[in-house]
Amino acid sequence: MALLSALTVGSWKYFRGSATRAVCSNNLRQLSSATNLYLSDNNGFFPSYLKAAPGGRMWWFGLETASGSTAEGSRDLDVTKGPLYPYIDEVGKIEVCPGFNYGSSLWKPKFKGASYGYGYNWILGGRLGGMPMNVGTLRSSAGVILYGDCGQVNTFQAPASASNPLIEEFYLINETDKTIHFCHNGRANILFVDGHVESFKPYSGTEDTRVRGEITGRITPKGSLDMLR
């Protein structure tokens, strides 16, 4: 009986992970459609990852209007001011990733509420304040990441600490950090510039499992620019 119960629980977790992965894939395809509309209106240039803006900082997903001294979790984010918002509004509603457990006591918010749980290839967006890339300069749109499941283990900002690691949303995929979030049965959804979505396991040795039940990491070795440009 105990074995049957364990199998039932295991099956439920597996099928729930498969279902959340499907919803997440649809979210990413909506983001792909919105980004393509943005590219069409901006001569093929990708939106900036982050840049200074009147009244705050403009992230690719919204305008942060609170001062830098405001505590994380209390910062204001106006998603309607984000560069992609008019196009997201056109292609349809995009939900937060259902694989990210926002109800968990191990979740640490960065803004007031949640915002997708997806990260952007920051090289396409010009990194921090640089010039975004043009889609026409890519060698292969099918081989370059656009967005993907993202998260970060935080041990350095209250209420997180070294003895109380927490998982938080994160918004970039780069060549060094362990920010890809394997939240669908140990897999992560990655959207490529050409619009297709692939599911990945962590690249061996890059896993960060400090937060109970969560895995962040990479799908390429640290320092690799594979799939980023």
Side-chain angles (χ1 to χ4, degrees), residues 104-179:
S104 170
S105 61
L106 299 175
W107 174 52
K108 176 187 169 297
K110 295 189 74 64
F111 298 98
K112 290 178 180 176
S115 54
Y116 301 163
Y118 298 118
Y120 180 30
N121 176 353
W122 81 329
I123 291 178
L124 297 182
R127 296 182 169 90
L128 298 175
M131 181 68 182
M133 289 184 67
N134 190 285
V135 68
T137 66
L138 299 181
R139 287 177 291 179
S140 170
S141 60
V144 175
I145 293 169
L146 184 53
Y147 305 107
D149 286 315
C150 247
Q152 176 177 252
V153 175
N154 192 313
T155 61
F156 48 87
Q157 289 171 314
S161 66
S163 60
N164 182 42
L166 300 177
I167 188 80
E168 62 183 3
E169 290 182 322
F170 215 58
Y171 308 109
L172 66 81
I173 297 171
N174 66 11
E175 63 271 36
T176 56
D177 296 313
K178 299 178 179 181
T179 58

Side-chain angles (χ1 to χ4, degrees), residues 21-74:
R21 189 164 68 240
V23 173
C24 173
S25 294
N26 185 63
N27 283 345
L28 289 169
R29 290 188 182 97
Q30 295 283 80
L31 275 172
S32 175
S33 297
T35 303
N36 277 312
L37 290 172
Y38 177 94
L39 291 171
S40 295
D41 286 345
N42 290 274
N43 298 314
F45 285 95
F46 289 95
S48 293
Y49 167 69
L50 176 65
K51 63 181 180 179
R57 299 192 295 176
M58 183 66 75
W59 299 87
W60 67 268
F61 51 88
L63 176 67
E64 180 187 347
T65 54
S67 70
S69 61
T70 302
E72 289 206 349
S74 300

